[in-house]
């Protein structure tokens, strides 16, 4: 059976999309941005891999094309295309079991999958070939992160060889510059890109094939997920080696802050919570705290003590080592700490050792649990985010909405989303550098304010009123799409 694709103006390419697949914030963004664009009047569709461990999330997923040709260098190899609709947005899943039917998306505990370059080049090529069957080409291809980054590069060359693509523009969004998809130069040959792409202004990076660089070098517009990060990445400290090419492309580089999907993340109506609550009534939050204390076998006395939480990947980026370093000092203060995360084995082991030392006051859940993340946000008093860098960060936005003021490093998106104490408008606490001493003193500041119930309540109320809506972010993307040539039919 062959059905022609819908006819989107903007086609988004992503390796993760909530609720179908998720390892982190990219998935949340891609579960919300397309819907917000659709609501803003843009015809959008999404291409994403058809992973073996895909969660259909109650949506009907149908095979719409059995053998979508992918072309050189995959001449005899084809992709399966599946389709579903998510809040009015067509979603195409690109399938090929030998590439995507695996336990994990990108890596196992022992490292990255050896064929990641081939897997995601295939994904990009298949997405473009599927789009090639549309009546008219999309006005914009919007690719996200290294896994989709070759789309602007392919498009650049397709524009001159295939009239179908001649007016299509590309946008490339960087969610995390540290993940680049950097591979041996031998893999370039098999990618299907023409030889002229192999140069310093193209995909070559210190002799290696760098997919992320392809997105940065060839896209008509490059964006990243917060204004502060868009400035930081021009410096060697945050640029991960890309500061040179980014500075060259500075004129087309934009920082558009992510939104938070408050339909999914909000205490007023959250299906994972034992009860809901609003900013003018804290009783529900107290109930959530009591329930989590029971759920995690923590001591009842913690009901009247501050409960601090950390949710995230256990990686250096997130500063989990800083939290580990100060944990013994923190635990002496008669408070509770909850950690939910997975990642680096060494951090996981150290945290489990610490649990033995602080039974009843430290809870560590190693693993990934969407619903527990909601309950922790709702139950805790203070959210910890000592990131070394943070392109945007979504968990601090969720924490704000749940009335859990964050203590966070003043970097990237954390600067753009948290108003730091002692401002009269403060919604949380930031500290200047990712250092254990500064982190601890910011937590102490938060604990002092927590003891002053009236001041704490007003900070919580302000935090809960913050609204980083996707409507606002989508508006900026639409403006950007228009600036590179897209017209909206309703205009
Ligand atoms: P990043 O994308 O850098 O990991 P973000 O703050 O943008 O950071 O997004 C992280 C997302 O992943 C949030 O939705 C957060 O709740 C979720 N998350 C991270 N680790 C876990 C975990 N162990 N269990 C459940 N959700 C997690
Ligand atoms: C990345 C970043 C994070 C950002 C997310 C979504 O994973 O690390 O800061 O919020 O992408 O854009």
């Amino acid at each position: 059976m062959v059905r022609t694709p819908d006819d989107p103006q903007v086609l988004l390419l992503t390796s993760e999309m909530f609720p179908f697949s998720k390892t982190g914030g990219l998935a949340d963004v891609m579960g919300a941005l397309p819907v917000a664009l659709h609501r803003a009047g843009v015809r959008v569709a999404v291409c994403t891999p058809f992973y073996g461990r895909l969660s259909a999330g109650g949506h009907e997923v149908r095979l719409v094309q059995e053998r979508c040709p992918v072309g050189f260098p995959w001449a005899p190899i084809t992709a399966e295309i599946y389709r579903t609709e998510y809040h009015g947005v067509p979603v195409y899943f690109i399938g090929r079991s030998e590439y995507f039917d695996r336990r994990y998306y990108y890596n196992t505990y022992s490292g990255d999958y050896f064929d990641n370059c081939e897997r995601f080049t295939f994904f990009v090529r298949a997405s473009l070939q599927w789009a090639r069957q549309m009546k008219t080409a999309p006005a914009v291809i919007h690719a996200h992160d290294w896994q989709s980054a070759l789309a602007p590069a392919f498009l650049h060359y397709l524009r001159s060889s295939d009239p179908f693509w001649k007016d299509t523009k590309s946008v490339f969004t960087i969610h995390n510059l540290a993940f680049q998809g950097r591979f041996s130069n031998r893999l370039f040959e098999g990618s299907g890109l023409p030889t002229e792409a192999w140069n310093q202004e193209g995909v070559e990076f210190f002799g290696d094939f760098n997919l992320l660089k392809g997105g940065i070098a060839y896209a008509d517009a490059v964006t990243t997920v917060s204004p502060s990060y868009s400035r930081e990445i021009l410096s060697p400290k945050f640029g991960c080696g890309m500061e040179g090419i980014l500075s060259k492309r500075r004129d087309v580089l934009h920082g558009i802050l992510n939104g938070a999907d408050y339909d999914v993340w909000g205490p007023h109506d959250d299906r994972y919570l034992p009860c809901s609550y609003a900013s003018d009534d804290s009783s529900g939050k107290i109930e959530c705290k009591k329930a989590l204390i029971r759920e995690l076998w923590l001591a009842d006395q913690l009901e009247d003590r501050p409960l601090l939480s950390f949710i995230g990947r256990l990686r250096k980026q997130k500063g989990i080592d800083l939290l580990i370093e100060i944990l013994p000092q923190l635990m002496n203060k008669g408070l509770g700490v909850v950690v939910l995360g997975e990642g680096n084995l060494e951090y996981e082991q150290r945290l489990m050792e610490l649990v033995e030392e602080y039974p009843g006051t430290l809870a560590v859940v190693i693993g990934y649990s969407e619903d527990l993340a909601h309950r922790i946000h709702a139950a805790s008093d203070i959210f910890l985010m000592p990131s070394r860098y943070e392109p945007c960060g979504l968990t601090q936005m969720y924490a704000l909405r749940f009335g859990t003021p964050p203590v966070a490093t003043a970097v990237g998106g954390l600067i753009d989303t948290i108003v730091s104490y002692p401002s009269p408008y403060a919604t949380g606490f930031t500290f200047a550098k990712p250092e254990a001493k500064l982190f601890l003193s910011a937590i102490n500041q938060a604990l002092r304010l927590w003891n002053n119930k009236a001041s704490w309540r007003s900070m919580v109320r302000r935090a809960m009123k913050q609204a980083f809506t996707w409507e606002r972010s989508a508006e900026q993307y639409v403006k950007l799409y228009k600036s590179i040539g897209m017209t909206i039919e309703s205009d």
Side-chain angles (χ1 to χ4, degrees):
M1 182 191 41
V2 178
R3 268 185 44 150
T4 48
D6 308 78
D7 241 351
Q9 295 165 291
V10 177
L11 182 66
L12 299 112
L13 267 63
T14 175
S15 60
E16 293 178 34
M17 178 180 183
F18 180 83
F20 309 110
S21 53
K22 171 165 172 176
T23 66
L26 171 67
D28 286 2
V29 170
M30 297 312 296
L33 172 63
V35 178
L37 289 168
H38 167 74
R39 290 183 183 148
V42 187
R43 279 201 326 274
V44 286
V46 181
C47 281
T48 191
F50 189 70
Y51 296 112
R53 51 176 295 211
L54 188 90
S55 120
H59 298 267
E60 191 197 350
V61 178
R62 283 186 304 134
L63 180 67
V64 290
Q65 186 161 351
E66 231 175 307
R67 287 194 191 83
C68 176
V70 174
F72 178 81
W74 281 278
I77 297 185
T78 55
E80 287 153 12
I81 312 289
Y82 298 82
R83 182 188 185 281
T84 193
E85 211 162 293
Y86 183 65
H87 296 294
V89 174
V91 180
Y92 307 118
F93 297 101
I94 308 292
R96 177 103 202 152
S97 61
E98 78 229 42
Y99 288 140
F100 301 122
D101 199 355
R102 300 189 184 175
R103 173 117 188 246
Y104 301 99
Y105 301 123
Y106 317 122
N107 54 277
T108 64
Y109 268 100
S110 43
D112 289 345
Y113 287 127
F114 75 98
D115 56 351
N116 272 351
C117 182
E118 187 177 328
R119 296 170 76 216
F120 290 101
T121 309
F122 175 86
F123 162 63
V124 168
R125 301 269 315 190
S127 302
L128 291 176
Q129 285 293 34
W130 169 243
R132 181 66 184 81
Q133 298 177 38
M134 292 167 186
K135 280 204 290 297
T136 48
V140 176
I141 299 282
H142 186 168
H144 296 260
D145 269 355
W146 71 265
Q147 297 89 340
S148 309
L150 285 190
F154 280 119
L155 184 67
H156 173 84
Y157 292 105
L158 283 171
R159 282 201 285 236
S160 46
S161 63
D162 180 352
F164 177 82
W165 292 110
K166 73 178 190 342
D167 295 323
T168 301
K169 297 293 194 304
S170 60
V171 175
F172 178 58
T173 297
I174 303 163
H175 294 262
N176 193 337
L177 203 54
F179 297 93
Q180 302 189 350
R182 185 172 171 175
F183 302 101
S184 152
N185 56 16
R186 281 177 291 111
L187 297 178
F188 171 74
E189 248 173 61
S191 71
L193 279 171
T195 43
E196 57 263 42
W198 188 260
N199 67 75
Q200 277 181 20
E201 311 294 314
V203 295
E204 192 262 338
F205 185 69
F206 296 105
D208 286 339
F209 181 26
N210 189 310
L211 306 197
L212 186 95
K213 196 173 170 209
I216 298 173
Y218 290 98
D220 295 292
V222 178
T223 75
T224 186
V225 287
S226 71
S228 289
Y229 191 60
S230 76
R231 291 185 288 272
E232 289 171 349
I233 56 179
L234 298 175
S235 68
K237 186 171 168 204
F238 291 101
C240 302
M242 289 288 155
E243 57 278 7
I245 181 103
L246 282 164
S247 299
K248 278 189 196 144
R249 305 236 60 213
R250 192 189 214 129
D251 292 349
V252 300
L253 175 65
H254 308 264
I256 300 181
L257 191 71
N258 284 333
D261 188 341
Y262 295 122
D263 289 338
V264 177
W265 298 93
H268 55 284
D269 176 29
D270 188 314
R271 63 193 173 119
Y272 298 118
L273 302 189
C275 61
S276 51
Y277 61 94
S279 61
D280 48 4
D281 170 27
S282 55
S283 60
K285 190 165 174 70
I286 294 169
E287 282 312 306
C288 290
K289 182 170 174 179
K290 286 184 182 164
L292 188 80
I293 285 173
R294 282 193 299 275
E295 180 178 347
L296 298 180
W297 300 80
L298 287 167
D300 290 344
Q301 302 89 281
L302 287 180
E303 285 177 14
D304 304 317
R305 300 294 306 148
L307 187 63
L308 281 52
S309 63
F310 174 101
I311 302 170
R313 291 180 288 115
L314 303 180
R315 300 264 166 215
K316 217 157 178 203
Q317 174 193 348
K318 301 290 175 185
I320 181 64
D321 52 317
L322 302 179
L323 177 58
I324 290 173
E325 190 178 334
I326 63 166
L327 260 179
Q329 280 151 286
L330 268 190
M331 301 317 295
N332 284 339
K333 294 176 188 288
L335 44 73
V337 175
V338 174
V339 176
L340 167 64
E342 61 181 359
N344 192 315
L345 262 183
E346 190 192 314
Y347 298 140
E348 291 183 1
Q349 275 162 4
R350 184 67 195 122
L351 284 164
M352 293 319 289
E353 283 163 16
L354 284 162
V355 171
E356 303 284 317
E357 289 176 39
Y358 304 101
T361 50
L362 173 63
V364 174
V365 180
I366 300 295
Y368 192 92
S369 168
E370 194 70 21
D371 51 328
L372 183 58
H374 286 246
R375 287 198 293 280
I376 293 175
H377 271 302
S380 36
D381 298 294
I382 295 169
F383 189 72
L384 306 175
M385 205 157 171
S387 306
R388 288 199 160 69
Y389 69 92
E390 199 58 77
C392 177
L394 299 172
T395 44
Q396 83 283 6
M397 295 193 208
Y398 304 154
L400 289 167
R401 183 46 69 107
F402 281 95
T404 311
V407 175
T409 331
V411 282
L414 301 175
I415 299 174
D416 299 337
T417 50
I418 301 168
V419 182
S420 188
Y421 185 80
S423 155
Y425 308 107
T427 55
F429 305 80
T430 61
F431 53 98
K433 278 189 276 181
E435 287 172 11
K437 214 170 67 204
L438 300 181
F439 183 29
L440 187 60
S441 87
I443 295 177
N444 284 335
Q445 221 174 21
L447 293 173
R448 279 195 294 274
L449 199 76
W450 184 87
N451 277 320
N452 179 340
K453 292 297 166 217
S455 308
W456 188 256
R457 275 301 314 151
S458 46
M459 180 183 274
V460 166
R461 248 180 263 122
R462 274 194 303 276
M464 292 182 78
K465 290 211 170 87
Q466 300 300 301
F468 301 101
T469 64
W470 270 110
E471 288 69 39
R472 201 161 71 173
S473 315
E475 235 171 64
Q476 295 181 55
Y477 281 109
V478 172
K479 220 160 118 194
L480 179 72
Y481 298 154
K482 286 182 180 170
S483 76
I484 55 171
M486 185 186 81
T487 50
I488 297 216
E489 275 125 41
S490 56
D491 280 356

